[in-house]
Amino acid sequence: MAIDPTLNPALDPARRVVCAGALALGLAFCAPMAMAKDWAIVVGIDDYQFFQPFDPNRPVFGVHTDLQGAVNDATVVADAFRAIGVDLPDTHFLTDRSATLANFLAAWSNVTQQAQPGDRVFVTYAGHGGQEREVSEPLDEADGLDETLMFHDFNPDHPREGRLNDDQLRAMLETVPQLQVIWVMDSCHSGGLERSINPRAAGLSRSGGVWDIPVDPIPSEAPSGQGDTGKAELPNVTQILATATDDRLVQETAFDGQPHGALSWFFAKAIAGEADLNGDGTLTRLEISSYIGDRVFTHMEQNQQPRFLPRGDPSVMLSLNAGLAAAATAPIGAPALTQAAVQVDASQPPTGLPIRILGAPPPGLDSGVCPGCRVVEQGQSLLFEQVQGGWAVYSGQGDLVTVITGDARPQLARMQFLGDFDRAKVANLPSVVLRPLQSAQRQPIGTNVGFEFPPPAPDLNFLTLFNLASDGTVQYGIYPPGFREGQPSDEGTLLRFSVAPPTGEDQLIAVWCSRPPLPLQALLAQANGQVVPPMSEILAATADVRCQFGRIGLFTEG
C-alpha cells in the first residue's frame, strides 16, 4: 500500500511529535501525539456565469450583477493564511470560474478526508448570498426561506444549480464531528440597511435575491439536511457571519482605494496577528469577535454588525506560533513566509485619499489640484456630487455627510482624519465600545439622543471626548454636567443632547487613556471650532500615555 505523507502525522512537517510520560507497571513510555493542523478553503466570486457585468452607470438595485471586491477578499485572506502556515493549496483557492459548486465540494471532500481528528478547517466565502422559498420537507425555517451561498455557476433559470443552502451545509458539517470547522461568510441574503444611502457612493450589495425553486430535486443536487431553525448548534462549528441578522444587506466598501468586504478585510487582519490581544500567539473566539466586531461596525458606520456563533469565549481558534513554525518548515514549493504577507496587503497602494466627483468639481478642487487626494472612478472614500446650489458630500459607505457651497478641503481633512483615526487603534488594547441609545437611523432636529461611554479596561479610565462635526470642525467640551476630564471615570459616562442644525453626519470621538492626556486636551482646546487637525498631531499629543481610540456616528436630518 502506498503511503500518503499528508495522512501520516510523522511525515507531515506541519505536525509535531511530542513525548508523553506515564507510569504503568513501573515503565515510562514515549508515544507520538500529533498537534492539530490548520487547513483552509478560500472562495471569492466577482464573476457570475449568468449575472450581468457591473456597470457603474447603471442602477444596481433590483438587478443581479457581478461583484467587484470578492476576489480581492479571497486574495488578502489567502495571503494571511499562507503567511502563518495554514495548509491552502491552489486547488483550494477558488475564484470566479474555478469557484463552481462542484469544485468547492471536491475541495471540501479532499480536506476532510486528509484532516485528522482535532484539526481545524477554515472555510471563507466572499460573494453573493441568496434565499429560496422552502418547497419540500423539512419545512423548518420560521420565515419559510432557506439561506444559500451562490457559486459561479448559479443559474437563475435553474436556481437549484450552483448553490448550497443551509440545510445542505448543516448535513455536510454533521459528517465531520471530529474536526473543528470555522466558517466565515462575507455575503448576505435579503433585507435592507438602517439608513437610506446613495447607491452611486456606496459599494455593491452582496445579496443575490430570493428565488422560487422547483419542487422536484434535480439528479445532481446535493442532499438536503434537516434544516437549521430550532436545531442545536454543532459544538465543533464556529460561524462568523457578515451581519447580525438575515434581513441586513452587506455592502462592499473600499480599503486603500480597492473594493472589499469589511468582514473579509478585518478577518485577514485578525489572523495576521492584529487580534492577538494578549500577545500569547493564539487567537480565541473572544479576541477575534471583539476585534472584528469593533472594526466592521466602525468602518461600516453602524450599518453592518457581524455575528459570531457561538458567541465569543476563550476557546482557541488559531495558533499563530504553531502556524509560523509550520510555515518555516514547509516543503519546497510551499508559499514563503514574508513580512509583506504578514501585513496582509503586500503591494503598496496608491497614495492620497481616493475621491470621486460627479459633475463640476467644488471649490478647492476646481483648479485641477487635489491636495492630499486622488480622483478615482470607483473605490472612493468620499464623493462630491454637484446638486442645485452646491455639492452633496457622501462617505464611502453612501451616507450623506453634508452639503457644501464653498471650499471642499475641510471635507478632505475630515475624511482623511477618520481613516487615520481608525488605523491608529491599538491592536493589543481592548476595543472601545460606544453604546448608542437610539437606532442608527437618521434622527430629525429636536430629537433627544444619547450615548454611553464605558471604559474599555480598568486601567484605561480617563476619557477625552470631542465631536467631529459634519463640516469638518472640532467641537470640544461637550461633557455632561459634573464630568471632569482630570478624574477617572471608572463607570464611564452618559451623554444626552438634542439634535440641532447643521444636520448630516457627526462623529463622536472617544479617547480613553491610563492618565489624563494633557497635551491632547490642550490641542483640542486650541482646535475647538476649527478644521480638525491631522491625526498625526493627536498621536503626538498622546505619545507619552497609553490610550485607545473609538468613534461612533450620529446621523441627523431636517
Side-chain angles (χ1 to χ4, degrees):
M1 179 176 67
I3 296 177
D4 183 349
T6 62
L7 300 179
N8 188 337
L11 300 179
D12 190 336
R15 300 183 186 276
R16 298 292 179 268
V17 176
V18 298
C19 201
L23 186 63
L25 299 177
L27 298 175
F29 68 93
C30 188
M33 183 179 298
M35 290 180 63
K37 180 177 175 179
D38 297 317
W39 309 76
I41 302 171
V42 175
V43 180
I45 311 168
D46 288 333
D47 177 20
Y48 280 82
Q49 182 176 355
F50 298 102
F51 281 14
Q52 299 181 34
F54 170 67
D55 181 349
N57 298 314
R58 182 179 59 204
V60 297
F61 288 108
V63 179
H64 298 299
T65 69
D66 292 338
L67 296 172
Q68 293 182 293
V71 172
N72 291 339
D73 289 347
T75 300
V76 296
V77 169
D79 286 347
F81 274 139
R82 286 169 169 167
I84 59 172
V86 175
D87 191 298
L88 176 58
D90 289 343
T91 52
H92 297 168
F93 178 62
L94 306 175
T95 60
D96 287 344
R97 294 186 179 184
S98 69
T100 62
L101 176 59
N103 285 347
F104 172 76
L105 294 176
W108 172 261
S109 177
N110 181 267
V111 166
T112 55
Q113 287 180 28
Q114 294 186 67
Q116 301 294 302
D119 284 359
R120 287 179 290 251
V121 178
F122 291 83
V123 181
T124 71
Y125 173 89
H128 277 305
Q131 290 182 308
E132 60 188 29
R133 294 180 176 86
E134 294 184 295
V135 296
S136 60
E137 299 291 343
L139 301 177
D140 50 17
E141 300 281 358
D143 60 1
L145 299 172
D146 281 321
E147 281 70 49
T148 64
L149 300 179
M150 304 166 74
F151 291 85
H152 167 76
D153 51 335
F154 174 77
N155 188 343
D157 293 331
H158 304 281
R160 263 184 165 159
E161 297 179 7
R163 64 85 170 100
L164 185 70
N165 69 23
D166 50 12
D167 290 348
Q168 296 163 336
L169 173 58
R170 184 178 178 99
M172 290 169 51
L173 296 173
E174 286 177 336
T175 65
V176 289
Q178 77 281 12
L179 303 177
Q180 295 297 316
V181 182
I182 298 93
W183 277 77
V184 183
M185 287 178 269
D186 199 345
S187 62
C188 61
H189 306 291
S190 67
L193 300 170
E194 283 277 359
R195 301 180 302 277
S196 61
I197 61 171
N198 183 342
R200 286 170 294 182
L204 294 173
S205 163
R206 291 188 174 178
S207 172
V210 179
W211 300 88
D212 288 303
I213 62 175
V215 175
D216 296 328
I218 59 177
S220 61
E221 183 177 13
S224 175
Q226 294 300 312
D228 56 359
T229 298
K231 301 283 284 187
E233 294 179 355
L234 298 174
N236 63 314
V237 177
T238 299
Q239 296 184 64
I240 305 177
L241 310 176
T243 60
T245 60
D246 293 333
D247 61 352
R248 284 288 175 263
L249 286 178
V250 172
Q251 299 289 127
E252 291 192 337
T253 183
F255 294 95
D256 297 333
Q258 297 298 316
H260 280 277
L263 176 63
S264 295
W265 176 265
F266 287 113
F267 177 75
K269 294 285 189 181
I271 63 176
E274 288 194 11
D276 186 8
L277 187 62
N278 57 10
D280 67 351
T282 64
L283 298 180
T284 66
R285 280 184 184 142
L286 185 60
E287 287 176 319
I288 291 183
S289 63
S290 176
Y291 175 90
I292 293 178
D294 168 67
R295 268 61 173 183
V296 172
F297 188 69
T298 299
H299 180 83
M300 297 305 291
E301 301 294 358
Q302 307 160 62
N303 254 333
Q304 184 178 341
Q305 179 67 71
R307 177 170 45 162
F308 296 80
L309 300 172
R311 300 181 69 176
D313 60 37
S315 301
V316 173
M317 284 182 54
L318 185 63
S319 175
L320 301 176
N321 292 338
L324 291 172
T329 59
I332 296 174
L337 175 63
T338 65
Q339 182 62 30
V342 172
Q343 297 299 322
V344 178
D345 44 338
S347 61
Q348 292 295 324
T351 58
L353 182 74
I355 70 168
R356 185 181 176 195
I357 301 172
L358 296 179
L365 301 177
D366 51 1
S367 64
V369 177
C370 188
C373 64
R374 56 191 172 90
V375 178
V376 299
E377 291 299 320
Q378 62 182 27
Q380 71 276 355
S381 296
L382 199 60
L383 170 69
F384 295 93
E385 182 177 19
Q386 187 177 23
V387 296
Q388 185 175 3
W391 287 264
V393 183
Y394 295 93
S395 72
Q397 318 317 323
D399 282 304
L400 177 66
V401 176
T402 189
V403 176
I404 63 173
T405 57
D407 194 348
R409 286 173 292 185
Q411 291 298 320
L412 299 181
R414 179 184 186 277
M415 190 56 66
Q416 185 65 59
F417 175 87
L418 291 176
D420 292 342
F421 182 88
D422 290 344
R423 287 185 286 270
K425 291 182 178 182
V426 183
N428 65 347
L429 290 179
S431 299
V432 171
V433 177
L434 307 175
R435 301 191 184 109
L437 304 182
Q438 61 283 323
S439 75
Q441 295 177 349
R442 290 192 175 269
Q443 305 296 320
I445 292 175
T447 302
N448 292 323
V449 296
F451 296 87
E452 291 180 338
F453 300 87
D459 61 339
L460 296 174
N461 57 351
F462 288 89
L463 174 64
T464 300
L465 183 66
F466 66 97
N467 182 49
L468 180 53
S470 60
D471 61 359
T473 61
V474 171
Q475 296 177 348
Y476 179 57
I478 57 174
Y479 300 103
F483 182 85
R484 297 290 183 269
E485 282 185 323
Q487 297 178 354
S489 180
D490 296 331
E491 302 300 324
T493 189
L494 174 64
L495 178 65
R496 294 183 185 273
F497 53 91
S498 178
V499 174
T503 58
E505 177 196 320
D506 285 35
Q507 289 287 334
L508 294 171
I509 309 291
V511 183
W512 284 98
C513 300
S514 57
R515 55 181 172 80
L518 299 181
L520 172 62
Q521 293 162 8
L523 173 65
L524 293 173
Q526 183 179 9
N528 193 29
Q530 306 298 315
V531 175
V532 64
M535 185 62 194
S536 59
E537 296 186 17
I538 302 291
L539 292 175
T542 57
D544 63 343
V545 60
R546 291 173 63 249
C547 297
Q548 182 62 297
F549 306 93
R551 68 178 175 94
I552 192 168
L554 174 62
F555 301 87
T556 59
E557 63 184 358

